[in-house]
Amino acid sequence: MVVFEPFRKGVGMVVKRNTWQREAVRSALGTQMGFVSAQGLHAALATSGSHIGLATVYRALADLANEGEADSLQSPEGEALYRACSLAHHHHLICRSCGLTVEIEADEVEEWAHRTATQHGFSRPEHVVDVFGFCSACVPPQ
Amino acid sequence: MVVFEPFRKGVGMVVKRNTWQREAVRSALGTQMGFVSAQGLHAALATSGSHIGLATVYRALADLANEGEADSLQSPEGEALYRACSLAHHHHLICRSCGLTVEIEADEVEEWAHRTATQHGFSRPEHVVDVFGFCSACVPPQ
DNA sequence: CTGATTTTGAAAATCATTATCAATTAGGTA
DNA sequence: TACCTAATTGATAATGATTTTCAAAATCAG
Ligand SMILES: [Zn+2]
Ligand SMILES: [Zn+2]
Ligand SMILES: [Zn+2]
Ligand SMILES: [Zn+2]
């Protein structure tokens, strides 16, 4: 049986030290207009002259996501992608062509998710809600 | 820039032949109460005496998903999971503890997704909507 | 400044998934 | 039924993203 673990790890974490690497990742993530993979961000950092290691980028992104400073989602191909986001819970509208990302609030969906879970006797619901499409600047192929 | 490809491949596919392997996968998938990975289903088949190859299970599951006979989603850990599902578009409410899966219709969400995409100038929207929680039979941990 | 502890990073290890490709098989045809 | 040909299979190698290792470097409280 497949068991789904909680999305975010528990609390009780040890103190994190401040390194230029973590700051470089946080900063680089902020310059991205859409979601990026760890590999992509590492490449971007390398291009801008940083000698940060790939494993460190993976670790920093995972930390940022855990601390709520970044949102993460999985591309349809299964790659983990990250993006610097606002603190409040929200969802994303993502252009499949250029990656443009719009943060969307959806009280309607929040309420629906909770109501649906409750109706079926499920407790502590969490949800994954992402919308993909083609932004107005991108010509829909086909 | 990360590019998101369309979720489902185009049409124009060649004729599929009927093999006991495909039928075994379809059948085994039907006996599962929740989502399973290709590896998990291959293990289940092996346990029940089938000598089907792992690559074949991967291929059969991908085909079933393309043909609409199975739904697929990615576990929070990034594994592709499959489940025999009803034909109509729907979403899932999944127990994080036992894997129990409930199919849910969400006209409300369908409409919201389309409306939101349109409002932001996005065309051809597709969406990922899954709800995870603990079913009534499972004691919520913590 | 010092020392305990955390972090880094290059390289190796994992691990799910895909590609290879020779051998087998399904399904149509005579 | 025998045969042909393209589709399918499956053992294995290859891929590719992510994680682990572990010795060296860095952080930071005291
Ligand atoms: Zn776009
Ligand atoms: Zn939400
Ligand atoms: Zn349950
Ligand atoms: Zn839907």
Side-chain angles (χ1 to χ4, degrees):
Chain A
M1 171 55 57
V2 180
V3 174
F4 297 94
E5 295 298 327
F7 295 162
R8 322 243 167 189
K9 286 178 183 167
V11 292
M13 52 196 68
V14 289
V15 258
K16 288 276 159 52
R17 290 180 178 178
N18 297 321
T19 64
W20 66 263
Q21 287 95 334
R22 254 184 238 289
E23 196 44 48
V25 169
R26 196 204 314 273
S27 166
L29 192 61
T31 70
Q32 298 286 326
M33 60 169 281
F35 282 83
V36 256
S37 64
Q39 309 249 11
L41 199 63
H42 178 252
L45 281 160
T47 298
S48 65
S50 172
H51 285 189
I52 189 173
L54 177 57
T56 302
V57 174
Y58 271 100
R59 286 185 282 237
L61 286 175
D63 286 346
L64 286 174
N66 273 336
E67 294 157 13
E69 283 197 67
D71 273 3
S72 69
L73 60 77
Q74 312 216 167
S75 76
E77 288 72 39
E79 231 185 350
L81 304 178
Y82 298 86
R83 179 165 185 273
C85 279
S86 62
L87 293 166
H89 176 87
H90 60 271
H91 297 278
H92 300 103
L93 177 54
I94 304 162
C95 176
R96 284 209 294 263
S97 178
C98 70
L100 173 71
T101 299
V102 179
E103 289 189 17
I104 48 186
E105 282 183 44
D107 294 335
E108 195 175 332
V109 174
E110 307 308 322
E111 197 253 318
W112 166 82
H114 196 275
R115 171 162 38 84
T116 300
T118 302
Q119 277 176 354
H120 289 83
F122 279 62
S123 53
R124 294 178 55 201
E126 295 198 39
H127 53 272
V128 176
V129 174
D130 295 300
V131 182
F132 298 88
F134 292 92
C135 77
S136 54
C138 294
V139 181
Q142 218 293 299
Chain B
M1 173 54 57
V2 179
V3 174
F4 295 93
E5 296 298 328
F7 296 164
R8 321 240 169 192
K9 286 177 184 168
V11 292
M13 53 196 69
V14 289
V15 256
K16 288 276 158 54
R17 291 180 177 177
N18 298 319
T19 62
W20 65 263
Q21 287 95 334
R22 252 184 240 290
E23 196 44 48
V25 169
R26 196 203 313 274
S27 166
L29 192 62
T31 70
Q32 298 287 327
M33 58 169 283
F35 282 84
V36 255
S37 65
Q39 309 248 11
L41 199 62
H42 178 253
L45 281 160
T47 299
S48 65
S50 173
H51 286 190
I52 189 173
L54 176 58
T56 302
V57 174
Y58 271 100
R59 286 185 284 238
L61 286 175
D63 286 346
L64 287 175
N66 273 336
E67 294 157 13
E69 283 197 66
D71 273 4
S72 69
L73 60 78
Q74 312 221 167
S75 77
E77 289 73 37
E79 235 184 347
L81 304 179
Y82 299 85
R83 180 168 186 272
C85 280
S86 63
L87 292 166
H89 176 87
H90 61 271
H91 296 278
H92 299 104
L93 176 54
I94 304 162
C95 176
R96 282 210 294 262
S97 176
C98 70
L100 173 71
T101 298
V102 178
E103 291 189 17
I104 48 185
E105 282 183 44
D107 295 334
E108 195 174 333
V109 174
E110 308 306 323
E111 197 253 319
W112 165 82
H114 196 276
R115 170 162 38 85
T116 300
T118 301
Q119 277 176 353
H120 290 84
F122 280 62
S123 54
R124 295 177 54 200
E126 296 198 39
H127 54 273
V128 176
V129 174
D130 296 300
V131 182
F132 298 89
F134 292 91
C135 78
S136 53
C138 293
V139 181
Q142 219 296 297

